[in-house]
Amino acid sequence: MSDEYKKTADAVRRERSITREQLACLLGQASSRDEEYLFAAARETAETVFHKQVYLRGLVEFTNYCKNDCYYCGIRCGNRAAERYRLTEEEILSCCDSGAELGFRTFVLQGGEDPYYTDERVCSIVRAIKERHPDCAVTLSIGEKSYESYKKYYDAGADRYLLRHETADEEHYAKLHPAVMSGAYRKQCLRDLKAIGYQVGCGIMVGSPFQTIDTICEDLVFMQELQPHMIGIGPFLAHKDTPFRDEPNGSVETTLRLLAILRLMFPKVLLPATTALGTADALGREKGILAGANVLMPNLSPVSVRGKYLLYDGKICTGEEAAECNVCLRNRIERIGYRVADSRGDHPDFA
Ligand code: 5AD
Ligand code: FES
């Protein structure tokens, strides 16, 4: 085993911070024994906070309409090939009802930035879910809004908000998004959400076009400033009907190492092993948990629309097997020696 690799992992674990050099070391050339050392350190760290519990979130992808045109995303407005759909409030509620039946205590409402869902409609959906399932958390993941809108959703009962910052480097951000979007506003949204009182999640795609060690370094600095409750990362995966169709996919290896680094830097953070990771590698989600992740987000959307919420090519759990995700994931978690928590799975500082 490389002494330098081990020492670096130990230092990050101890200091809960990382320098550019340390990041380059941990993401650079390493033997499988080096890697395993990093993953084991992250696993142990997660275990001290969460024991061997994994939190499940039921994901409801309720609209794939989007007014944005992000270059990486399959549901960008410019993609004429995407078959669009919206779920009604009744359909969303029925997804949550079946989710509650299956034991989920968090519902994540995720969608494109779809103007059909006005603040009034969003608030009405949030209120209805909280009324029927007062013991459950509601997470919103519906993009950039104004402070006032975020406040309305919070007052309606939303508990958490996911908004990946995508990259903290504003020049890099400009290479991934059309000029009407700005990295500065994106980061402001996250600060607003935190100030309002949400449990907040930020995050990035690993291996997005133009990403470098330096942009990842900036991401980590931003995260240290924001102190998010959740961090969502997964590999970038090309979608055939986007401008990034020919870009190489992000690496599973790098994603796993970054998960481990995040766990060492933020011991208490909620860290999902994402669907993108499970798409890039059939055992990606299990590997993610064994590298320090502690959250899984199985799909609760109606099977009839799952094949339409395609941010990238090859997405898992969209076919015939889709109705079985709940059972499938529970089995996968148990097979690696973990267990599904039955609590809401709030951040330790919120619980
Ligand atoms: N590959 C991987 N992740 C993607 N996302 C969007 N498009 C892709 C893609 N092609 C991620 C973004 C977004 C989240 C909902 O999904 O980070 O914030
Ligand atoms: Fe969807 Fe296994 S998690 S089929």
Side-chain angles (χ1 to χ4, degrees):
M1 182 163 5
S2 144
D3 212 36
E4 194 204 347
Y5 201 88
K6 184 168 174 286
K7 271 192 189 153
T8 306
D10 288 343
V12 172
R13 182 181 195 171
R14 197 173 52 239
E15 313 286 339
R16 296 184 185 178
S17 68
I18 197 165
T19 63
R20 188 197 181 284
E21 289 63 42
Q22 290 172 321
L23 181 65
C25 169
L26 293 180
L27 294 184
Q29 272 296 337
S31 67
S32 49
R33 288 187 60 203
D34 291 338
E35 256 195 337
E36 186 43 42
Y37 184 85
L38 176 67
F39 297 157
R43 263 197 316 270
E44 285 164 24
T45 303
E47 217 175 310
T48 61
V49 183
F50 301 104
H51 311 287
K52 287 217 162 186
Q53 295 188 98
V54 173
Y55 298 140
L56 291 189
R57 320 299 198 194
L59 185 63
V60 183
E61 298 159 333
F62 68 96
T63 173
N64 71 348
Y65 283 85
C66 191
K67 67 178 170 62
N68 292 335
D69 215 16
C70 310
Y71 303 148
Y72 46 82
C73 183
I75 64 167
R76 64 201 301 268
C77 65
N79 179 12
R80 295 313 182 76
E83 203 184 314
R84 306 287 170 171
Y85 74 91
R86 287 185 180 110
L87 300 185
T88 63
E89 179 169 325
E90 289 64 42
E91 288 172 314
I92 296 170
L93 290 173
S94 116
C95 291
C96 297
D97 291 348
S98 30
E101 205 61 40
L102 295 171
F104 292 98
R105 290 293 171 268
T106 294
F107 304 114
V108 181
L109 304 187
Q110 184 169 90
E113 290 192 18
D114 179 355
Y116 170 83
Y117 295 94
T118 57
D119 289 352
E120 287 61 41
R121 287 191 170 115
V122 172
C123 289
S124 153
I125 293 165
V126 170
R127 265 188 239 107
I129 296 174
K130 294 295 278 195
E131 215 163 275
R132 286 156 87 131
H133 306 289
D135 57 331
C136 294
V138 171
T139 304
L140 293 176
S141 179
I142 54 176
E144 295 179 9
K145 309 277 175 182
S146 66
Y147 181 98
E148 290 69 33
S149 296
Y150 287 146
K151 181 76 167 73
K152 284 185 204 163
Y153 312 152
Y154 185 78
D155 292 338
D159 302 275
R160 311 184 187 135
Y161 204 103
L162 305 180
L163 180 69
R164 290 196 183 169
H165 62 289
E166 314 297 357
T167 173
D169 182 299
E170 290 175 20
E171 281 171 35
H172 183 209
Y173 192 93
K175 294 180 183 166
L176 303 178
H177 302 92
V180 291
M181 295 178 73
S182 99
Y185 188 68
R186 187 71 151 210
K187 288 185 268 188
Q188 188 53 44
C189 286
L190 284 161
R191 295 187 187 103
D192 288 347
L193 288 162
K194 193 131 190 251
I196 290 168
Y198 285 97
Q199 295 176 61
V200 171
C202 66
I204 63 168
M205 293 177 286
V206 178
S208 64
F210 313 107
Q211 185 176 64
T212 63
I213 287 278
D214 295 288
T215 65
I216 299 175
C217 229
E218 284 188 62
D219 291 320
L220 297 175
V221 169
F222 171 68
M223 289 173 192
Q224 281 195 311
E225 175 220 306
L226 180 69
Q227 289 293 323
H229 305 92
M230 300 169 266
I231 302 174
I233 70 165
F236 161 76
L237 301 172
H239 186 292
K240 63 184 188 323
D241 302 312
T242 63
F244 287 165
R245 61 177 65 83
D246 295 324
E247 297 291 334
N249 287 345
S251 127
V252 170
E253 227 34 73
T254 307
T255 306
L256 294 172
R257 290 200 214 169
L258 206 50
L259 281 171
I261 291 166
L262 289 169
R263 173 57 68 208
L264 295 180
M265 292 179 66
F266 304 95
K268 292 194 278 190
V269 85
L270 299 161
L271 197 59
T274 57
T275 305
L277 186 55
T279 296
D281 179 328
L283 292 176
R285 289 169 298 178
E286 287 90 333
K287 291 177 185 173
I289 289 171
L290 295 173
N294 72 319
V295 174
L296 288 172
M297 301 173 66
N299 203 317
L300 269 187
S301 312
V303 174
S304 59
V305 303
R306 283 196 205 176
K308 299 179 186 167
Y309 199 85
L310 299 178
L311 310 185
Y312 43 80
D313 290 337
K315 187 180 174 199
I316 52 168
C317 304
T318 56
E320 289 299 308
E321 81 294 357
E324 298 309 321
C325 288
N326 174 54
V327 176
C328 172
L329 273 181
R330 283 172 195 269
N331 287 334
R332 285 170 182 252
I333 290 167
E334 284 171 18
R335 239 177 282 147
I336 58 170
Y338 285 70
R339 62 178 176 276
V340 174
D342 44 28
S343 63
R344 274 183 17 153
D346 289 288
H347 185 279
D349 294 347
F350 261 75

